[in-house]
Amino acid sequence: MAAPVDLELKKAFSELQAKVLDTQQKVKLADIQIEQLAKSKKHAHLTDTEVMMLVDETRMYEGVGRMLRLAGNPEVSAAWLDPEALHFIAVFILQSKGVIHNQLLEKQRIAEEKIKELEQKKSYLERSVKEAEDNIREMLMARRAQ
């Protein structure tokens, strides 16, 4: 009868070890994501602070990405030093101060929501590992009582 209990405990310990390793990886990933989101949020806040110091009628350019221009395009190749190469062109659109301000506030709000979600996920993962550890402790206590 001792052998089945030992096998049961061994299986429970191996499952716990796998769960702890998996949880540690997920928690580390969540920490990295939280750190990146916090940086993004801070960057948006600092940018917004600078934008709000400008006059209300100020119009500014918002970067919207990059565009690839292939070599040999006769319409624009005269503007490039090396017309045989690929070029990335930054693309901007003209926006009002209010639009930029609202976009920065939205970026901060979204980052804060994602940070809260990740914190909740981390808390859940840590609780689930603790519950598994408690279950194994109960199994050990029951075994000792036999």
Side-chain angles (χ1 to χ4, degrees):
M1 177 148 177
V5 173
D6 289 340
L7 289 175
E8 185 180 335
L9 282 174
K10 187 175 183 178
K11 181 180 177 188
F13 278 120
S14 65
E15 287 174 0
L16 175 64
Q17 183 180 18
K19 186 171 188 168
V20 166
L21 290 174
D22 183 51
T23 300
Q24 285 174 343
Q25 289 175 345
K26 288 179 181 176
V27 167
K28 284 180 185 177
L29 179 63
D31 284 336
I32 290 168
Q33 290 173 333
I34 288 170
E35 184 179 322
Q36 289 172 341
L37 286 167
K39 285 180 184 178
S40 174
K41 181 182 166 191
K42 183 176 181 178
H43 183 266
H45 173 72
L46 293 172
T47 304
D48 187 45
T49 302
E50 292 296 318
V51 166
M52 293 311 294
M53 285 192 247
L54 300 172
V55 179
D56 285 341
E57 293 78 31
T58 304
R59 304 211 12 115
M60 51 198 91
Y61 288 96
E62 172 193 6
V64 293
R66 292 188 285 174
M67 180 171 63
L68 182 64
R69 184 188 75 82
L70 295 174
N73 186 344
E75 290 111 33
V76 269
S77 62
W80 300 100
L81 296 175
D82 182 10
E84 299 303 318
L86 295 176
H87 297 282
F88 284 101
I89 304 167
V91 181
F92 299 90
I93 56 174
L94 191 61
Q95 296 283 15
S96 69
K97 176 183 168 182
V99 170
I100 299 289
H101 171 67
N102 289 337
Q103 289 174 346
L104 292 168
L105 290 178
E106 181 68 10
K107 187 175 183 177
Q108 291 175 63
R109 185 189 63 76
I110 289 171
E112 187 62 37
E113 287 176 3
K114 288 181 180 179
I115 288 171
K116 285 179 183 176
E117 288 174 14
L118 288 167
E119 291 288 354
Q120 290 173 349
K121 180 180 175 181
K122 274 179 53 178
S123 176
Y124 169 76
L125 290 169
E126 290 165 351
R127 273 195 318 270
S128 68
V129 167
K130 184 165 180 6
E131 288 173 7
E133 289 172 349
D134 291 344
N135 289 341
I136 289 179
R137 282 191 191 97
E138 288 176 17
M139 286 175 60
L140 286 172
M141 297 299 260
R143 182 170 181 242
R144 289 180 185 163
Q146 288 178 354

